Amino acid sequence: MQLKDIAKRLNISISTVSRVINGTGRVNKDTKELILKTIKEMGYQPNEVARSLKRKSANTIGVIVPDISNSFYASVIKGVEKVARENEHSVIVCNSDEDIQKEEEYVQLLLQKQVTGLVLATVGGDPQLFEQYKRSGIPFVFFDNLPNTQENFDVVTIDNLKAGYELARHLVEQGHEKLAILTGPQHQSSAAERLQGFRRCLEENGLSVRDEWIGVGEFRKESGYKIMSEWLKQDELPTAIFAANDFLLYGAIKAILEKGLSVPHDIAAVCFDANDETGLIRPQITSVVQPADMIGSIAGEIIMRKEKNKNMPVFEKIVLEPKLIINESSQKRIGG
């Protein structure tokens, strides 16, 4: 697509379109907004590196994650970077901060830089976003949270529903009957599927899924702390907490300790992706651990394969096995 295509569609001069794209010269505000809207609709991407030169790619993989401070995403990035270096590629990392607008902006930025491909944990569920990604013409590999679309795409993930079921079953086997769950936004597939697995386990074991103990927030410590603090005001407390990620649980544990209670004596706790390589944190957390480094490596390998064969029609769906690591935070409960 060229500038003339946009100009023709709007019946304006190519120079006007160029001034908007390059930020040079003056353009009427309404006209500028119309041009920017049309650019987005038509999927136009200017080549900011060398617009007049033809080149294959920037030999760069873009990675967008929702929270770079989370060790899970850091390990995924490490896996992508390993494959990139082996193939003489570099990596650009962007942190969307759980913000869909930031994610869109970073996608546009990386496409302008003509990256070879994108590895992305999207925070949005809008199918229209997926259409924008598809129009880019480069391979996208999704992990963790997936697009809400029936169309095929490349993905590396775990079975979040199964993992949620197994983690909840561990608590049931420990004698817990009053279970609460902390999870993330339900338009994100990982959060929704972990809740679904939790529900299925409790229902199949004849236990009640209590709406007041389903806490939906952001995948952040602040959300875990806030929701747990509200639960702790109730007369009846859950005996165990299931958290859909480690940050949610860390926030919940902070609230529990501030209340003068302890884990696991008063309230047991489990989560996804707790990571304590030092072994010094007490109690050590029972957790479903995703093979994050492997997720990143496989995603990078898919990008490399599709760079070499740009017309490859096959989409790869890689589902990896998570690992349940049982630790002190979910010790067996005796009595009610």
Side-chain angles (χ1 to χ4, degrees), residues 47-323:
N47 178 354
E48 67 168 27
V49 179
R51 295 179 183 179
S52 62
L53 299 177
K54 292 182 180 180
R55 58 190 179 92
K56 293 182 179 178
S57 76
N59 286 340
T60 302
I61 299 176
V63 183
I64 303 178
V65 297
D67 187 353
I68 201 169
S69 67
N70 188 311
S71 61
F72 167 70
Y73 295 118
S75 295
V76 172
I77 293 166
K78 184 178 179 181
V80 176
E81 196 267 347
K82 178 178 180 292
V83 171
R85 286 181 63 86
E86 289 172 351
N87 289 272
E88 299 182 339
H89 281 55
S90 57
V91 173
I92 298 176
V93 178
C94 300
N95 178 47
S96 69
D97 200 30
E98 297 280 358
D99 185 326
I100 188 59
Q101 184 173 346
K102 281 187 180 180
E103 178 185 314
E104 288 188 71
E105 290 171 356
Y106 280 134
V107 168
Q108 298 304 317
L109 173 65
L110 293 171
L111 292 179
Q112 289 173 19
K113 291 184 177 296
Q114 293 195 331
V115 292
T116 299
L118 274 175
V119 176
L120 173 66
T122 182
V123 296
D126 188 346
Q128 291 184 352
L129 284 177
F130 179 76
E131 290 301 317
Q132 290 183 31
Y133 301 152
K134 192 170 70 171
R135 285 200 303 268
S136 71
I138 67 168
F140 277 75
V141 181
F142 292 91
F143 74 99
D144 194 40
N145 183 44
L146 309 180
N148 182 19
T149 177
Q150 297 300 312
E151 294 196 49
N152 290 322
F153 52 87
D154 293 301
V155 58
V156 186
T157 187
I158 64 166
D159 186 334
N160 279 292
L161 192 155
K162 177 183 176 183
Y165 185 100
E166 295 297 326
L167 192 56
R169 184 170 70 175
H170 169 70
L171 289 174
V172 173
E173 290 173 346
Q174 297 304 299
H176 292 282
E177 297 182 354
K178 300 176 182 179
L179 278 70
I181 181 171
L182 295 163
T183 189
Q186 291 302 286
H187 65 266
Q188 295 189 20
S189 63
S190 56
E193 289 169 5
R194 291 170 190 180
L195 174 57
Q196 189 178 352
F198 174 87
R199 281 184 179 276
R200 181 174 297 178
C201 177
L202 267 60
E203 290 168 354
E204 290 184 3
N205 284 276
L207 300 176
S208 299
V209 181
R210 296 172 57 165
D211 290 341
E212 67 269 27
W213 286 347
I214 298 176
V216 177
E218 302 294 327
F219 280 116
R220 300 180 184 274
K221 287 181 286 188
E222 295 81 4
S223 279
Y225 179 82
K226 180 178 179 181
I227 295 169
M228 190 72 236
S229 295
E230 290 300 314
W231 286 343
L232 290 169
K233 295 176 183 178
Q234 301 172 0
D235 293 333
E236 185 180 16
L237 301 180
T239 63
I241 301 295
F242 171 122
N245 86 333
D246 53 342
F247 281 10
L248 279 166
L249 185 60
Y250 298 152
I253 289 177
K254 180 183 178 183
I256 291 169
L257 296 178
E258 287 182 357
K259 187 72 173 178
L261 304 176
S262 68
V263 174
H265 178 72
D266 296 300
I267 301 177
V270 300
C271 71
F272 276 70
D273 296 317
N275 182 33
D276 173 29
E277 295 180 355
T278 68
L280 298 176
I281 296 176
R282 289 293 183 273
Q284 290 188 305
I285 306 297
T286 293
S287 177
V288 164
V289 178
Q290 302 181 77
D293 191 279
M294 186 182 298
I295 288 173
S297 295
I298 293 174
E301 289 166 359
I302 292 173
I303 297 292
M304 292 297 101
R305 283 195 289 273
K306 294 211 163 181
E307 181 187 23
K308 293 172 184 175
N309 184 1
K310 289 182 168 53
N311 296 319
M312 184 185 296
V314 177
F315 292 94
E316 300 184 49
K317 183 173 184 178
I318 311 297
V319 181
L320 302 175
E321 282 295 320
K323 183 178 182 181

